[in-house]
């Protein structure tokens, strides 16, 4: 097969218990926002893993219990090979793009993967233990089995390189700053997509004082000026900022000292708690998913408290970012909860009435692109995110650049 025919892009988004994938056709320019084909393996480490692909209901998937993550990756590779052979005769994958959560202060742009870069990125695993190891495992497997196939890492932290130094610094001894202990910010692929999509849909209105609320199982806010990151709620790790599904968000470090010094919790116990036992799940005792919590709210005081704190933390952090921006022109909701949960959007907006935020109930119920009312002083939008497309877009640019270099 000639190199000119290797114009497909495979995107892998690897988490701790799931692998999402998407296949894009780089021969079609501009690159289509929707993938040609895609899907995911979910529940990899659980008792009932599932496989799903676009347009089909999830199906049970048997995985090797000794190495379930590796087995899930191999299943995806086999399915991609079969799909390409059946639907893309004479063509092949030219590059694989990986969402990698942490690039530290060194990787501010997508990078071609090799053994040296892989080793470097492994040093960031302690900063993103829920995601970094799994993306790097997939990269390592593919480097070993297909060393000739280009792989590109696209970083969630990179979008926030525009943060001013005052936003990056932590009030620790200066030697910590020199060692790289600083605020990095996350969900950068989502926010980068927002910077493109909001300009397309809202034009100049999006270039003012904009706050994007990425609300999913992980959650954060990003304050943008001229669609560039100037402040964000996640900091050194993906634990900071908003209360999330199972993560705590911003927390008094004295509480952690108490748990370890007085209650004698180990470092491992506290770490597991902060990532897996806090947030909506920890407070409600029922679920990390608002879709499951909202129907139970009326009869369960803990569920009521969990949802009330979840909304309060979002409102509080939006207020803080408004202070940084000097006001607010546009508020945007994205990601799973932000895009689909009209009840929580309404509660957040009710808490922002002092800013002049007012929404149209019917538009909100239908998840319209603009849900603010005519009386609102702030434009309120709902915009689906598309992290996989951003990764594919960067990979396509690298692929085109490599081909251009070969023809010089």
């Amino acid at each position: 097969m000639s190199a000119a025919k290797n114009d497909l892009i495979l995107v892998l988004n690897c988490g701790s218990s799931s692998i999402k994938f998407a296949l894009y056709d780089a021969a079609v320019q501009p690159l289509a926002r929707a993938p040609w084909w895609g899907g995911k393996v979910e529940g990899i480490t659980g008792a009932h893993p599932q496989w799903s692909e676009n347009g089909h209901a999830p199906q049970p998937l048997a995985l090797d219990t000794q190495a379930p993550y590796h087995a899930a990756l191999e299943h995806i590779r086999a399915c991609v090979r079969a799909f390409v052979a059946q639907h893309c005769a004479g063509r092949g994958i030219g590059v694989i793009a990986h969402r990698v959560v942490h690039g530290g202060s060194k990787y501010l742009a997508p990078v071609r993967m090799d053994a040296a870069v892989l080793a470097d990125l492994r040093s960031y695993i302690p900063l993103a233990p829920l995601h970094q190891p799994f993306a790097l495992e997939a990269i390592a497997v593919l480097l070993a089995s297909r060393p000739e196939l280009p792989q590109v890492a696209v970083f969630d932290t990179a979008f926030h390189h525009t943060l001013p130094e005052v936003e990056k610094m932590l009030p620790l001894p200066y030697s910590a700053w020199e060692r790289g202990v600083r605020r990095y910010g996350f969900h950068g692929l989502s926010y980068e997509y927002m910077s493109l999509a909001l300009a397309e849909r809202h034009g100049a209105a999006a270039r003012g004082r904009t706050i994007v609320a990425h609300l999913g199982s992980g959650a954060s806010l990003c304050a943008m000026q001229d669609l560039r990151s100037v402040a964000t709620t996640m900091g050194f790790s993906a634990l900071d900022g908003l209360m999330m599904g199972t993560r705590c968000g911003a927390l008094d470090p004295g509480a952690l000292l108490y748990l370890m010094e007085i209650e004698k919790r180990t470092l491992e116990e506290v770490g597991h708690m902060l990532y897996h036992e806090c947030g909506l799940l920890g407070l409600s005792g029922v679920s990390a998913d608002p879709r499951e919590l909202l129907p139970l709210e009326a009869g369960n005081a803990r569920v009521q408290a969990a949802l009330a704190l979840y909304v309060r933390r979002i409102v509080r952090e939006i207020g803080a970012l408004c202070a940084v921006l000097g006001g607010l022109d546009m508020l945007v909701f994205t990601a799973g909860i932000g895009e689909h949960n009209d009840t929580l959007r309404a509660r957040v907006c009710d808490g922002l009435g002092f800013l002049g935020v007012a929404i149209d109930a019917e538009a909100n119920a239908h998840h319209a692109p603009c849900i603010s009312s005519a009386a609102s002083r702030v434009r309120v939008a709902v915009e689906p995110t598309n992290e996989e497309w951003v990764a594919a877009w960067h990979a396509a640019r690298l692929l085109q650049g490599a081909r251009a270099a070969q023809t010089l």
Side-chain angles (χ1 to χ4, degrees):
M1 186 182 298
S2 66
K5 292 294 185 179
N6 292 341
D7 50 12
L8 302 176
I9 299 170
L10 177 64
V11 177
L12 293 177
N13 187 344
C14 300
S16 58
S17 62
S18 68
I19 304 176
K20 299 178 185 177
F21 72 95
L23 191 66
Y24 290 85
D25 186 354
V28 178
Q29 293 296 322
L31 190 69
R33 295 292 171 90
W36 188 353
W37 179 64
K40 57 188 173 182
V41 178
E42 295 181 289
I44 293 173
T45 56
H48 304 289
Q50 290 187 320
W51 155 264
S52 60
E53 56 184 297
N54 292 357
H56 296 83
Q59 300 292 327
L61 178 65
L63 297 175
D64 179 0
T65 56
Q66 298 302 310
Y69 202 89
H70 183 78
L73 179 62
E74 289 305 308
H75 178 79
I76 289 173
R77 292 179 68 187
C79 290
V80 169
R81 285 194 295 268
F83 181 90
V84 171
Q86 181 177 356
H87 299 283
C88 319
R91 303 172 69 187
I93 293 172
V95 61
I96 299 178
H98 299 264
R99 176 198 174 212
V100 177
V101 168
H102 217 302
S105 55
K106 180 176 180 180
Y107 297 100
L108 306 182
V111 63
R112 171 81 177 264
M113 291 301 304
D114 58 26
V117 175
L118 179 62
D120 209 9
L121 293 178
R122 282 181 170 141
S123 69
Y124 299 128
I125 286 176
L127 306 185
L130 286 185
H131 299 91
Q132 195 88 348
F134 305 99
L136 300 187
E137 179 181 342
I139 291 169
V141 167
L142 291 163
L143 278 176
S145 62
R146 293 290 306 278
E148 80 288 354
L149 181 59
Q151 296 188 74
V152 180
V154 184
F155 301 99
D156 249 349
T157 49
F159 183 74
H160 300 293
H161 79 275
T162 56
L163 290 173
E165 187 173 281
V166 70
E167 285 290 335
K168 294 178 181 177
M169 296 191 80
L170 293 169
L172 295 170
Y174 191 75
S175 58
W177 166 263
E178 294 176 312
R179 296 193 306 271
V181 181
R182 60 188 67 190
R183 303 184 73 252
Y184 291 100
F186 298 90
H187 292 136
L189 297 190
S190 178
Y191 293 131
E192 184 173 4
Y193 183 77
M194 290 295 109
S195 73
L196 301 171
L198 295 176
E200 292 169 352
R201 191 184 298 277
H202 300 280
R207 295 189 173 277
R209 300 165 298 183
T210 296
I211 294 175
V212 179
H214 177 106
L215 305 179
S217 57
S220 67
L221 304 173
C222 181
M224 298 184 188
Q225 192 87 49
D226 197 23
L227 296 172
R228 293 160 62 90
S229 177
V230 297
T232 188
T233 54
M234 276 186 175
F236 174 71
S237 75
L239 284 173
D240 198 11
L242 302 180
M243 173 180 165
M244 304 174 224
T246 65
R247 283 173 265 173
C248 57
L251 188 66
D252 180 351
L256 304 182
L257 294 176
Y258 176 86
L259 292 173
M260 298 177 74
E261 291 182 357
I262 306 303
E263 295 190 358
K264 304 303 181 184
R265 304 283 189 96
T266 67
L267 178 63
E268 291 73 19
E269 288 172 339
V270 171
H272 187 272
M273 179 193 72
L274 295 178
Y275 277 103
H276 301 286
E277 299 175 354
C278 292
L280 286 169
L281 176 63
L283 280 180
S284 72
V286 176
S287 173
D289 190 338
R291 292 173 299 181
E292 298 177 4
L293 295 176
L294 284 167
L296 304 174
E297 189 176 23
N300 190 315
R302 283 182 59 180
V303 170
Q304 292 173 23
L307 289 169
L309 182 58
Y310 181 82
V311 171
R312 172 64 66 89
R313 292 293 290 269
I314 295 171
V315 170
R316 182 174 179 172
E317 294 293 337
I318 288 174
L321 292 184
C322 284
V324 171
L325 289 171
L328 183 63
D329 301 312
M330 176 177 285
L331 173 63
V332 183
F333 292 93
T334 193
I337 297 169
E339 294 170 26
H340 303 297
N341 199 306
D342 56 311
T343 299
L344 291 183
R345 285 198 305 258
R347 292 181 186 181
V348 169
C349 290
D350 284 347
L352 298 172
F354 71 99
L355 293 171
V357 172
I359 61 171
D360 181 290
E362 184 174 355
N364 184 45
H366 289 87
H367 315 294
C370 182
I371 62 172
S372 46
S373 70
S376 182
R377 298 201 302 269
V378 175
R379 184 178 299 200
V380 184
V382 178
E383 189 68 42
T385 194
N386 198 341
E387 295 169 306
E388 285 78 20
W389 179 86
V390 174
W393 179 66
H394 281 296
R397 296 174 69 188
L398 181 141
L399 191 62
Q400 291 162 2
R403 287 178 180 162
Q406 291 174 0
T407 61
L408 292 179

